[in-house]
Amino acid sequence: MMIVIMRAEATMREKSAIIARAEDCGYKVHLSEGKERTIIGIIGDDRVINREQIERMPGVERVVPILKPFKLASREFKAEDTVFPLGDHTIGGSEIVVMAGPCSVESRAQIIETAIACKEAGAHVLRGGAFKPRTSPYAFQGMGEEGLKYLAEAREITGMPIVTEVMEPALVPLVCEYADILQIGARNMQNYALLHAVGESQYPVLLKRGMSSLIEEWLMCAEYILSHGNTRVMLCERGIRTFETYTRNTFDINAIAVAKQLSHLPVVADPSHATGKWEYVASAAKAAVAAGADGMIIEVHPRPEEAMSDGGQSLKPEKFARLVREMKSIAQAVGRDINP
Ligand code: PEP
Ligand code: MN
């Protein structure tokens, strides 16, 4: 894998010659036409094409090999932050996107009530699981398609786009009928068939970090999605497993800074799963904003004690509303903002 940086004055013909050469050798080509110059990513086995030969072709300024195992996800490949819209908002730019809602869709009334409360508190995107990856097969598994229908109704009412988990490739088309953003859960981070399917869907993807995954493994999973031409990938740090037991997981705040440095992709923080206890969610959320997260995903439930999953880590709407105000102040202190 290498990137070919063309001279500012390179012609279309010169660019096409590089592309044709790479494609003839069986490579995939990724073209990015910047304001100043064009960059051509040549993706595939480095042994077939010779870097020096490409460097001698007309119009080429230089050729840079990408040494990291993740290529399309790397800053070497794309220096500028990836920015894309989510509903009326934009992720990856100066604003911070707030996603909120219950762990699971439990009923029509519950998701609509929660969606309205989250919207009033300042959320931009509605979360809610219809297909739940539960540790126990006897625990509530989610409402399935009925839950997706209620999410779509909540979107009608509030105008918020929906993020919801998809657990298997066969269900990608169904989830895409209702959702705006596909969530890959921590337990499925390395489900390659699923990464392939969501990559092909071309829907925005929220990729959770596996609970025992290296940052590099997480970025390699983003690479799978990107390799199908889907550029709208968000990385989500949701806590990792350590020896500590007072919290459900250990929030890896380092991962936010590391992922932002290694990759151009937006990074979202999930302080709910990262801590597992509502008392700590606000602290972790505020730290994530300060650390440079581009988005937040937070579990909110109007009556956490009645929740069918993750009640212990869900904020009541009033607490969530206060947290959004606090996060906004922190965002502004670090040159960002949370817009209404
Ligand atoms: C969830 O978002 O409710 C969830 C199951 O998250 P994770 O995959 O991070 O455990
Ligand atoms: Mn949950």
Side-chain angles (χ1 to χ4, degrees):
M1 165 103 195
M2 56 185 97
I3 54 176
V4 182
I5 300 162
M6 302 301 292
R7 289 183 207 284
E9 68 278 6
T11 62
M12 264 318 293
R13 232 182 138 139
E14 290 168 340
K15 293 174 199 170
S16 306
I18 311 273
I19 294 168
R21 174 73 182 274
E23 285 178 347
D24 287 348
C25 294
Y27 286 85
K28 273 197 189 165
V29 172
H30 191 288
L31 189 66
S32 84
E33 301 260 19
K35 277 185 217 91
E36 315 238 302
R37 56 188 70 231
T38 300
I39 290 175
I40 303 171
I42 299 184
I43 307 145
D45 188 335
D46 277 356
R47 284 166 299 191
V48 185
I49 210 157
N50 182 297
R51 188 179 143 200
E52 283 76 37
Q53 286 173 354
I54 297 287
E55 217 147 28
R56 285 196 295 269
M57 289 180 74
V60 174
E61 181 171 294
R62 66 199 150 93
V63 178
V64 186
I66 298 186
L67 302 171
K68 298 257 174 18
F70 45 90
K71 313 287 184 189
L72 302 172
S74 74
R75 285 260 183 213
E76 293 168 282
F77 176 68
K78 183 170 179 277
E80 330 80 70
D81 291 330
T82 286
V83 180
F84 53 86
L86 294 176
D88 299 333
H89 295 268
T90 302
I91 194 145
S94 67
E95 71 173 317
I96 293 172
V97 174
V98 180
M99 312 181 201
C103 180
S104 300
V105 180
E106 299 166 358
S107 69
R108 182 176 177 276
Q110 173 253 13
I111 191 64
I112 290 173
E113 176 186 357
T114 313
I116 293 170
C118 287
K119 168 93 184 179
E120 278 175 2
H124 310 123
V125 174
L126 177 65
R127 66 148 286 147
F131 296 95
K132 296 303 300 179
R134 304 306 300 281
T135 304
S136 165
Y138 309 117
F140 175 59
Q141 304 285 307
M143 294 188 81
E145 186 172 1
E146 194 184 352
L148 295 176
K149 288 187 173 149
Y150 298 149
L151 280 167
E153 252 191 89
R155 171 179 52 207
E156 283 302 303
I157 295 168
T158 62
M160 286 191 288
I162 290 159
V163 56
T164 195
E165 179 162 353
V166 57
M167 294 206 299
E168 51 178 301
L171 287 175
V172 171
L174 177 77
V175 176
C176 285
E177 272 182 47
Y178 300 95
D180 303 284
I181 305 162
L182 305 177
Q183 176 175 322
I184 301 295
R187 291 157 192 80
N188 263 320
M189 185 195 83
Q190 286 177 312
N191 181 338
Y192 297 112
L194 184 59
L195 298 177
H196 182 137
V198 300
E200 294 219 307
S201 77
Q202 305 300 331
Y203 271 55
V205 178
L206 181 78
L207 176 66
K208 296 246 194 155
R209 178 181 178 189
M211 59 187 82
S212 303
S213 296
L214 301 176
I215 293 172
E216 185 157 300
E217 291 166 333
W218 182 32
L219 292 169
M220 289 307 286
C221 292
E223 188 77 12
Y224 265 89
I225 301 169
L226 295 166
S227 73
H228 294 284
N230 186 344
T231 55
R232 293 183 293 171
V233 178
M234 295 169 270
L235 298 164
C236 178
E237 162 58 35
R238 47 76 75 203
I240 52 174
R241 182 161 287 187
T242 67
F243 49 79
E244 184 50 67
T245 56
Y246 275 99
T247 49
R248 180 177 177 183
N249 290 293
T250 295
F251 187 30
D252 186 5
I253 194 109
N254 300 352
I256 297 173
V258 174
K260 289 298 296 176
Q261 183 188 55
L262 293 174
S263 178
H264 51 85
L265 296 172
V267 177
V268 173
D270 175 346
S272 307
H273 293 86
T275 58
K277 293 189 179 163
W278 71 265
E279 297 96 308
Y280 311 133
V281 169
S283 299
K286 289 182 274 184
V289 172
D294 299 295
M296 305 297 300
I297 183 162
I298 299 173
E299 287 186 342
V300 176
H301 196 291
R303 287 166 297 282
E305 59 291 350
E306 290 172 16
M308 291 169 89
S309 60
D310 289 350
Q313 66 190 35
S314 299
L315 294 181
K316 290 183 182 166
E318 315 82 75
K319 289 214 163 61
F320 171 65
R322 183 195 306 162
L323 173 58
V324 174
R325 290 193 294 273
E326 292 175 349
M327 289 193 298
K328 183 176 170 75
S329 306
I330 294 169
Q332 289 171 340
V334 295
R336 311 286 293 268
D337 207 354
I338 296 180
N339 296 329

